[in-house]
Amino acid sequence: MAKCTFSTLEIFLIFLFVMMTGITVALLSLLFVTSGTTENHTGFPTTQIPPATHPPATQGPTAIQASPTPSTPEPTLFQNFSGYHIGVGRADCTGQVADIILMGYSKTGQNAQGILTRLYSRAFIVAEPDESSRVVFVSIEIGMVSQRLRLEVLNRLQSKYGSLYRRDNVILSGTHTHSAPAGYFQYSTFVIASGGFSNRTFEYMVAGIMKSIEIAHANMKPGKIFINKGNVDGAQINRSPSSYLRNPQSERARYSSNTDKEMVLLKMVDLNGDDLGLISWFAIHPVSMNNSNHLVNSDNVGYASYLFEQEKNKGYLPGEGPYVAAFASSNLGDVSPNILGPHCINTGESCDNANSTCPIGGPSMCIAMGPGQDMLDSTQIIGRIIYEKAKELYASASQEVTGPLASAHQWVNMTDVTVWLNSTHTAKTCKPALGYSFAAGTIDGFGTLNFTQGTTVGDPSWDSIRDQALGKPSEEIKECQKPKPILLHTGELSKPHPWHPDIVDVQIITLGFLAITAIPGEFTTMSGRRLREAVQEEFATYGMLNMTVVISGLCNVYTHYITTYEEYQAQRYEAASTIYGPHTLSAYIQLFRVLAKAIATDTVANLSSGPEPPFFKGLMAPLIPNAVDRAPVGTTFGDVLQPANPKYRVGEVVEVTFVGANPKNSAENKTHQTFLTVEKYEATSATWKIMHNDASWETRFYWHKGLRGHSNATIQWHIPDTAQPGTYRIRYFGHNRKKNVLKPAVILPFESTPSTFDVVTTW
């Protein structure tokens, strides 16, 4: 390897990086080592399902502790019919929309600064007619489900419902939007990347998930489920095609594409045929909104949910109405919605190569673009393609899902799984580690330190920096992870807490001939195909023929990526992020086969629960402090700084700017459920009708942070073609943090109603 030389500027930046890393580790250690920081999660015994008791119920979406009120009584349901009992529910889980990092790109400075759409948890409960068994699937518009989030939800479910909802029959799945708040993790890698643990956002998310399940539980009714499948064209590309080509040609020849184009859709109706909801699984990364975005939103799959729910819940505002449509994640690891492919933004030439780098400017110039004029346009184009296919499949769904329900779950120490490669040879999984190409990022969002994808040899300079700041990785982990050159040996870092999880969930729930595999990470295309095939074969071996196996991604705990063994050798971003080493996929296939066999042979009760995961205390507080809000002298919160024009036409943008307050206050004091409304005056009733809120894709809420607690809020309404002529107004709702001397801070609601404006069709 050629000797690496550095300019004066590069030497200074490296020195600064070392100093910052050392200071961060030191501060984190000081914050955490002063007290006992680990407790076992005691919500469930390690060897059996909890007893069928009903401890006190929680108070609702804002509750933190269980209240002493009795458990909600079970709804009375019909029996002896063909179908299932079905419940659907949706609840807001947005959290704070300012002064928090957006989770996904790990880009410094990509903090939330407002909201494009709200985020929702969508819950689906299915029970057998005789109530002998039930399963729960929850799709949540967040980056991924953290272990801490799942453990807390399971604990609260046990407190409210006893043994009804458990670790084995509840799946929590993130949609993987990269535009949702961070701050709800417990392992140090994610805590540091999140800028700390935000209890404010964590509680909001937990409460939203719980509320969606509670609504589904309360609204269960007899119904039927139908399944349909079909290919979605024009919505995705493989962002690591050179890695995909490492897979055997004979295997690749069995498939017509290097991405999974198939959408699997469940249609749920009551016994009268009236619509209840849908769940759709399709492999696509929700990264149409790129890493320059600062508005909280649900990205392309969220837009598909929005369109479907608005179609079914006519007359309701977004986020309201009985119909629930979830577009859940699948094996999206190497799948991008930026279908124009990677190009050098400085020259326009293609950079679709193994290193995703440009001749001039390197990897930071290699970016994939979506089909739209900007990222929001691309989001809506891709989301509409997904919606249109789902609408088609929904309308023609005729194959009924029938048969018993079952579920199986185990906790597994993924750092110590013996993998049988054949009848005579074994291999092992590894302690977690991230490779050099992890820092390179992807064509959907490149890294900031000019690392390159496909790096299979470490750099002595970066190794030296790592060794001085964090210590040297052991020979054992380096050997186990080969050919990955280790950038961060996270499995050997335990201060202030372990940097990555050792204990991981594996889980399957079945509805008749449908098996939903809950994957704790991001499977690549071929990884998903191999797992589906293996699980299907296992079911068939023990008499369950023709099973449809769905890959449900980002479930229960996050462990980054899972590539095939062959893709791992290429060490692009996905492989560098396969933290348990080259045999990770084989280990998962082996583990999921065990669950499939247990379900097929009715021996789930004989499965060991496995080692229980930890639940850490004393997590690092957010690095951004809570500041007191202040209005400029002579003004008050909500005063209009820039009013709307008197008149607008359809297609134009209304914009109003106010004296603002920090929006994160609204995640604590929930007096207002929206930051804005667009209202139309109804002359016949002399009332104002709400036409849009901050969950609408036609509105934007921007927060502009100033100095010493001052800030402005700007609301935009992009007037749609469907807007009727008339008189309108925009209202702003907020909360300000106030602190008096010697008194605790309080959060106070306020609202503002500026002057009206007219929307006309012509001047």
Side-chain angles (χ1 to χ4, degrees):
M1 180 178 178
K3 183 179 180 181
C4 184
T5 60
F6 299 95
S7 67
T8 302
L9 175 59
E10 288 172 325
I11 292 171
F12 171 75
L13 290 174
I14 291 171
F15 173 78
L16 185 62
F17 174 80
V18 174
M19 292 297 294
M20 290 176 66
T21 302
I23 291 171
T24 299
V25 172
L27 287 174
L28 289 172
S29 298
L30 285 172
L31 282 168
F32 299 105
V33 300
T34 55
S35 63
T37 57
T38 308
E39 65 176 6
N40 282 332
H41 174 68
T42 56
F44 300 93
T46 57
T47 59
Q48 62 183 12
I49 295 170
T53 57
H54 290 269
T58 58
Q59 291 178 328
T62 60
I64 297 175
Q65 300 295 331
S67 74
T69 56
S71 174
T72 305
E74 296 297 312
T76 302
L77 298 175
F78 297 112
Q79 296 185 0
N80 301 320
F81 68 94
S82 173
Y84 301 105
H85 292 125
I86 302 169
V88 302
R90 177 188 52 248
D92 185 284
C93 64
T94 307
Q96 68 186 74
V97 300
D99 275 354
I100 195 166
I101 292 172
L102 296 178
M103 189 66 199
Y105 290 111
S106 296
K107 180 182 177 183
T108 302
Q110 196 192 8
N111 293 347
Q113 297 173 9
I115 186 170
L116 171 59
T117 65
R118 290 207 161 263
L119 308 176
Y120 294 100
S121 172
R122 295 177 171 90
F124 302 83
I125 302 176
V126 181
E128 292 184 10
D130 62 0
E131 287 295 293
S132 60
S133 185
R134 66 174 60 197
V135 295
V136 184
F137 182 84
V138 187
S139 178
I140 314 154
E141 291 179 331
I142 55 177
M144 60 283 289
V145 176
S146 75
Q147 190 171 78
R148 189 179 190 87
L149 195 66
R150 173 164 165 85
L151 292 177
E152 184 63 24
V153 168
L154 289 176
N155 194 38
R156 296 191 190 187
L157 285 172
Q158 185 190 37
S159 295
K160 187 173 180 68
Y161 299 107
S163 63
L164 197 60
Y165 301 118
R166 311 171 303 273
R167 59 178 173 83
D168 66 294
N169 69 352
V170 175
I171 292 178
L172 304 183
S173 173
T175 65
H176 204 38
T177 173
H178 284 39
S179 299
Y184 55 98
F185 298 83
Q186 68 174 7
Y187 292 99
S188 293
T189 298
F190 308 121
V191 173
I192 294 170
S194 301
F197 177 79
S198 170
N199 194 61
R200 178 189 297 110
T201 283
F202 178 77
E203 286 294 333
Y204 206 112
M205 288 181 176
V206 171
I209 295 168
M210 282 295 298
K211 186 65 176 177
S212 67
I213 295 173
E214 290 165 2
I215 293 171
H217 176 86
N219 292 331
M220 292 185 72
K221 60 177 64 176
K224 294 180 179 291
I225 299 176
F226 298 90
I227 189 170
N228 206 356
K229 307 171 189 176
N231 286 350
V232 182
D233 295 317
Q236 29 146 254
I237 61 169
N238 191 305
R239 70 183 187 191
S240 287
S242 59
S243 292
Y244 180 86
L245 289 174
R246 294 281 189 121
N247 295 305
Q249 194 280 331
S250 58
E251 182 180 35
R252 290 184 280 111
R254 295 165 52 200
Y255 304 99
S256 60
S257 172
N258 61 3
T259 61
D260 274 344
K261 295 180 177 295
E262 186 176 72
M263 173 185 288
V264 178
L265 180 142
L266 298 184
K267 174 181 180 178
M268 302 177 182
V269 299
D270 65 18
L271 294 184
N272 295 321
D274 294 331
D275 295 318
L276 298 176
L278 75 83
I279 310 173
S280 161
W281 289 273
F282 175 61
I284 191 166
H285 247 91
V287 290
S288 292
M289 299 293 291
N290 63 41
N291 64 10
S292 67
N293 169 60
H294 291 276
L295 297 182
V296 168
N297 70 87
S298 53
D299 213 283
N300 45 44
V301 291
Y303 188 62
S305 287
Y306 173 85
L307 291 174
F308 219 109
E309 289 181 347
Q310 287 295 96
E311 171 69 22
K312 294 295 184 179
N313 294 323
K314 291 189 183 299
Y316 287 92
L317 289 169
E320 300 177 4
Y323 189 87
V324 180
F327 286 77
S329 57
S330 190
N331 54 322
L332 49 69
D334 53 0
V335 184
S336 171
N338 295 311
I339 57 177
L340 298 188
H343 289 80
C344 301
I345 57 175
N346 51 356
T347 66
E349 61 186 303
S350 173
C351 50
D352 190 3
N353 54 62
N355 303 114
S356 295
T357 188
C358 295
I360 302 173
S364 64
M365 292 291 108
C366 183
I367 298 175
M369 296 293 187
Q373 296 179 351
D374 55 32
M375 60 181 169
L376 199 138
D377 189 30
S378 292
T379 301
Q380 293 178 304
I381 291 172
I382 298 298
R384 185 169 288 279
I385 291 172
I386 297 170
Y387 156 75
E388 293 288 356
K389 174 53 67 171
K391 187 176 180 180
E392 172 192 323
L393 295 176
Y394 192 89
S396 60
S398 59
Q399 183 182 10
E400 186 175 356
V401 177
T402 59
L405 307 179
S407 58
H409 171 278
Q410 284 187 309
W411 284 306
V412 179
N413 184 349
M414 275 300 293
T415 71
D416 189 28
V417 177
T418 298
V419 179
W420 284 91
L421 302 178
N422 52 45
S423 60
T424 58
H425 290 75
T426 63
K428 296 274 286 188
T429 53
C430 312
K431 291 181 179 179
L434 291 165
Y436 267 67
S437 296
F438 165 77
T442 73
I443 58 173
D444 295 324
F446 60 87
T448 56
L449 293 175
N450 221 36
F451 284 84
T452 302
Q453 290 199 68
T455 299
T456 55
V457 179
D459 183 287
S461 301
W462 283 113
D463 286 349
S464 178
I465 292 171
R466 176 204 60 213
D467 295 347
Q468 293 177 50
L470 301 171
K472 293 183 179 180
S474 68
E475 290 302 316
E476 177 189 357
I477 197 171
K478 288 194 290 185
E479 185 66 26
C480 188
Q481 291 275 351
K482 282 184 177 180
K484 178 191 293 179
I486 294 175
L487 181 65
L488 293 171
H489 49 302
T490 53
E492 296 180 331
L493 303 176
S494 58
K495 299 294 183 182
H497 295 298
W499 283 44
H500 267 141
D502 290 345
I503 311 304
V504 172
D505 298 68
V506 290
Q507 182 183 15
I508 298 178
I509 63 176
T510 58
L511 293 76
F513 58 81
L514 173 68
I516 302 171
T517 58
I519 307 302
E522 304 178 53
F523 271 35
T524 60
T525 298
M526 195 63 84
S527 294
R529 288 168 174 169
R530 290 185 188 177
L531 180 77
R532 277 199 302 264
E533 188 172 80
V535 171
Q536 190 175 42
E537 287 177 354
E538 194 72 16
F539 277 122
T541 298
Y542 295 95
M544 294 180 67
L545 305 176
N546 302 316
M547 292 289 288
T548 295
V549 179
V550 166
I551 302 291
S552 187
L554 292 305
C555 293
N556 301 336
V557 57
Y558 186 60
T559 62
H560 295 269
Y561 284 72
I562 301 93
T563 65
T564 67
Y565 178 85
E566 296 84 354
E567 291 164 353
Y568 188 88
Q569 309 309 306
Q571 279 302 300
R572 280 178 58 84
Y573 175 82
E574 295 82 12
S577 305
T578 298
I579 61 175
Y580 300 114
H583 300 288
T584 301
L585 174 61
S586 296
Y588 277 124
I589 288 174
Q590 188 170 290
L591 292 165
F592 277 96
R593 278 186 178 273
V594 170
L595 300 183
K597 178 181 177 181
I599 291 174
T601 58
D602 195 22
T603 57
V604 171
N606 298 336
L607 288 174
S608 66
S609 62
E612 196 167 351
F615 191 94
F616 300 124
K617 293 181 178 178
L619 299 171
M620 182 181 75
L623 299 179
I624 303 175
N626 293 322
V628 173
D629 293 292
R630 293 184 174 90
V633 176
T635 67
T636 189
F637 297 107
D639 281 359
V640 177
L641 299 176
Q642 174 191 315
N645 297 332
K647 189 178 296 186
Y648 294 89
R649 286 182 295 188
V650 168
E652 294 185 324
V653 180
V654 183
E655 183 172 293
V656 186
T657 300
F658 304 83
V659 174
N662 197 320
K664 74 179 180 182
N665 300 328
S666 297
E668 292 185 49
N669 183 330
K670 301 181 183 179
T671 306
H672 305 306
Q673 301 303 312
T674 181
F675 288 105
L676 66 93
T677 56
V678 177
E679 302 175 5
K680 183 177 183 293
Y681 184 71
E682 301 289 346
T684 54
S685 59
T687 58
W688 290 92
K689 180 182 179 181
I690 298 175
M691 308 301 293
H692 303 279
N693 56 19
D694 65 3
S696 303
W697 282 79
E698 293 84 359
T699 62
R700 321 273 191 276
F701 176 81
Y702 298 94
W703 181 63
H704 314 282
K705 187 175 185 177
L707 300 175
R708 298 184 299 276
H710 293 157
S711 65
N712 294 340
T714 297
I715 295 173
Q716 289 183 352
W717 177 36
H718 294 243
I719 306 175
D721 295 340
T722 55
Q724 296 298 310
T727 300
Y728 289 80
R729 68 183 186 186
I730 289 177
R731 302 182 72 195
Y732 167 36
F733 303 89
H735 297 87
N736 66 285
R737 182 178 294 273
K738 182 179 180 180
K739 179 83 166 65
N740 292 325
V741 179
L742 302 179
K743 292 184 178 181
V746 294
I747 298 176
L748 304 173
F750 66 87
E751 58 185 85
S752 175
T753 306
S755 57
T756 63
F757 57 90
D758 291 330
V759 172
V760 298
T761 54
T762 58
W763 290 115

